[in-house]
Amino acid sequence: MKLLLHDYSGHAFTAQLGRALACRGIEVVYASFEGFATPKGRVAGMVGDPASFRAVQIGISEEFDKDNLLKRHRQQLEYARRIRALVLAERPDVVLSANAPIEVQEHLLTACRTLGAAFVFWVQDIHAEAIERIIGKKNDVLGRLVGAYYRRKEARVLRDSDGVVVIAEAFRDVLAGPRWGLDVSHMVVIENWANIADMPSLPRDNVWVQENMREGRHRVVYSGTLARKHNPGLLLELARKLDADVYLFSQGSGADLVRDAASAEGLDNVIVRPWVSVEDLPSMLAGADIALAIIEADAGVFSVPSKVLSYLAAGQPILASIPEQNLAAVTVAREGAGLVAAPGDIEALVQYARALLEQPELRARMGRAGRAYAEKAFDIDLISARFELILRNASPTPQAKTAPIFSPQDSAGVGEPV
């Protein structure tokens, strides 16, 4: 079977999945958007990659603009045409696509229908809900109209897909609800993960930290995208209230806002740096006393921050401002891996931060709990076995369906809707 695994963003865990599926005998082309500004995984080919794994990064004709919605839409359409052309050239049996705008997913579905290939929609976010929320903050009526338009488009792609993977049970609940009315019986829940093999346990004051962080200070670290669904003001508030350095490893308009506001206010304990590479991420996270995660209340269940999964794998205690129904909040609270405050409850967030900073034994216990969960839940062999079953079942190629998939001891419950 030949698979084109497409991750618009190019995350570390999707690249890991591509390599794991190649090790299971699948020919994998891993494609991602070179110009999309976000922390990247190992999205280029590496020494030691499986022979059946190939990475392709797709560019567009100009620098991608996340903040200008009209320009962004035009650029997404250009990218959609380019990824469609790649699919038609590669002629895979199956396309598995994640993190892509609906226009991109539509082009991929059309390309698959042209080839007679299968299309599997890997739902990382419910885009119509996010679009309605973002536009609705500026104009409620326009937000509802645009949201309804994209809901029809997204629902059509979901209905026409040969397989659907969602990252949380709550997604199935929403898609089965009255606003969507979709049949979710065939949708499989596979929660996201972090590449634990890339996250070794390192000392707090390792060489990277000595060169890049201040000594003798407590450190609160936020690493990753700071976008519309986050509240950058929380980092400033923590810096005002805590005797600690607040590090923001991010880029874009959100990072610029925090940097400018901290400078204007004279907050010298707010330190804004670019994203670190996937190779330096373990060293940087090891230097944190607290790992911070933020999701606004109106994002609800529709966004599960991947940074939380990296924090768990790194064994760092988590301080979160996330809605309690969000899967990340549920996981952190259930596993005892950190403290979760409701979005908008700044008093609780500061109180939790102080408790963590004042109790090193609490931080250590929560860090160990998070790492233990990651070691149990982020098993790439079992995860890739589940995806392989989904892909082979979706494939129109008879030999792909009948090929050995995984050993009997791996098979309990694998690939079943939950």
Side-chain angles (χ1 to χ4, degrees):
M1 179 173 65
K2 183 174 182 179
L3 167 70
L4 193 143
L5 171 51
H6 171 243
D7 179 6
Y8 186 79
S9 303
H11 288 303
F13 70 97
T14 60
Q16 183 195 26
L17 175 64
R19 290 178 168 92
L21 290 170
C23 289
R24 302 182 74 87
I26 297 173
E27 181 183 353
V28 178
V29 178
Y30 177 81
S32 61
F33 184 5
E34 183 178 26
F36 189 74
T38 195
K40 301 286 188 181
R42 301 182 191 277
V43 297
M46 303 188 307
V47 174
D49 276 345
S52 58
F53 176 87
R54 179 160 46 92
V56 178
Q57 296 182 72
I58 301 171
I60 58 174
S61 59
E62 58 186 336
E63 184 177 354
F64 186 68
D65 191 337
K66 273 188 174 183
D67 297 316
N68 184 321
L69 293 181
L70 291 176
K71 185 176 180 181
R72 176 174 179 162
H73 181 261
R74 174 175 57 79
Q75 292 176 322
Q76 287 171 172
L77 288 175
E78 179 186 352
Y79 178 85
R81 291 189 293 269
R82 296 193 179 204
I83 185 64
R84 181 178 185 273
L86 177 68
V87 171
L88 294 175
E90 291 290 344
R91 304 186 66 83
D93 298 302
V94 183
V95 171
L96 170 64
S97 181
N99 292 305
I102 294 306
E103 291 84 358
V104 175
Q105 298 291 62
E106 285 180 322
H107 276 67
L108 288 170
L109 178 60
T110 300
C112 287
R113 293 297 172 260
T114 300
L115 294 172
F119 178 76
V120 178
F121 194 151
W122 189 359
V123 182
Q124 296 282 330
D125 205 346
I126 302 179
H127 291 275
E129 302 289 344
I131 291 167
E132 180 174 340
R133 183 176 69 248
I134 291 166
I135 296 178
K137 287 182 178 180
K138 297 181 179 180
N139 185 310
D140 183 59
V141 174
L142 182 61
R144 289 200 301 271
L145 290 173
V146 176
Y149 170 76
Y150 274 97
R151 194 172 300 113
R152 288 193 297 271
K153 288 168 70 74
E154 193 165 3
R156 185 167 58 248
V157 177
L158 285 164
R159 281 194 300 267
D160 291 346
S161 296
D162 300 289
V164 177
V165 178
V166 297
I167 63 172
E169 179 62 34
F171 282 38
R172 281 167 39 103
D173 294 341
V174 170
L175 294 173
R179 278 163 63 93
W180 290 83
L182 295 176
D183 176 9
V184 300
S185 61
H186 65 293
M187 296 184 183
V188 179
V189 178
I190 301 181
E191 295 179 10
N192 283 351
W193 68 96
N195 187 344
I196 197 164
D198 276 354
M199 203 65 69
S201 297
L202 298 173
R204 178 181 185 272
D205 294 309
N206 56 72
V207 172
W208 190 94
V209 167
Q210 291 171 8
E211 294 175 350
N212 292 278
M213 291 179 162
R214 299 202 297 190
E215 294 184 14
R217 299 277 293 167
H218 281 127
R219 305 176 189 125
V220 179
V221 168
Y222 181 103
S223 175
T225 302
L226 194 64
R228 292 180 175 89
K229 60 192 174 186
H230 309 117
N231 179 2
L234 291 181
L235 286 91
L236 298 168
E237 191 64 20
L238 289 171
R240 296 183 191 109
K241 299 290 180 63
L242 301 176
D243 183 18
D245 286 342
V246 177
Y247 284 87
L248 170 60
F249 291 93
S250 189
Q251 294 169 219
S253 57
D256 293 342
L257 186 155
V258 171
R259 182 188 295 106
D260 293 346
S263 176
E265 199 171 330
L267 293 172
D268 64 354
N269 60 333
V270 176
I271 302 165
V272 182
R273 301 278 175 79
W275 292 310
V276 300
S277 67
V278 66
E279 291 81 12
D280 289 334
L281 184 63
S283 298
M284 182 271 284
L285 289 179
D289 295 300
I290 297 174
L292 177 65
I294 300 168
I295 289 288
E296 283 289 80
D298 58 4
V301 302
F302 306 122
S303 179
V304 180
S306 58
K307 62 180 63 65
V308 170
L309 307 176
S310 295
Y311 296 164
L312 291 166
Q316 293 294 50
I318 297 168
L319 175 66
S321 175
I322 299 177
E324 64 177 4
Q325 71 272 28
N326 187 282
L327 178 59
V330 172
T331 301
V332 169
R334 184 190 66 225
E335 301 299 327
L339 299 174
V340 181
D345 193 344
I346 296 175
E347 182 178 347
L349 189 71
V350 172
Q351 179 182 344
Y352 289 159
R354 286 179 175 150
L356 288 168
L357 292 177
E358 292 168 1
Q359 300 179 66
E361 70 284 354
L362 176 63
R363 298 200 305 271
R365 184 170 71 249
M366 289 183 163
R368 288 193 300 269
R371 176 71 182 195
Y373 168 76
E375 290 176 348
K376 174 181 63 178
F378 300 167
D379 186 329
I380 191 58
D381 291 332
L382 294 179
I383 293 167
S384 60
R386 296 191 69 190
F387 272 99
E388 183 180 4
L389 179 56
I390 293 164
L391 297 170
R392 291 198 185 277
N393 285 341
S395 173
T397 308
Q399 58 266 35
K401 293 179 181 292
T402 58
I405 298 176
F406 44 82
S407 61
Q409 59 264 35
D410 290 339
S411 63
V414 170
E416 292 299 320
V418 296

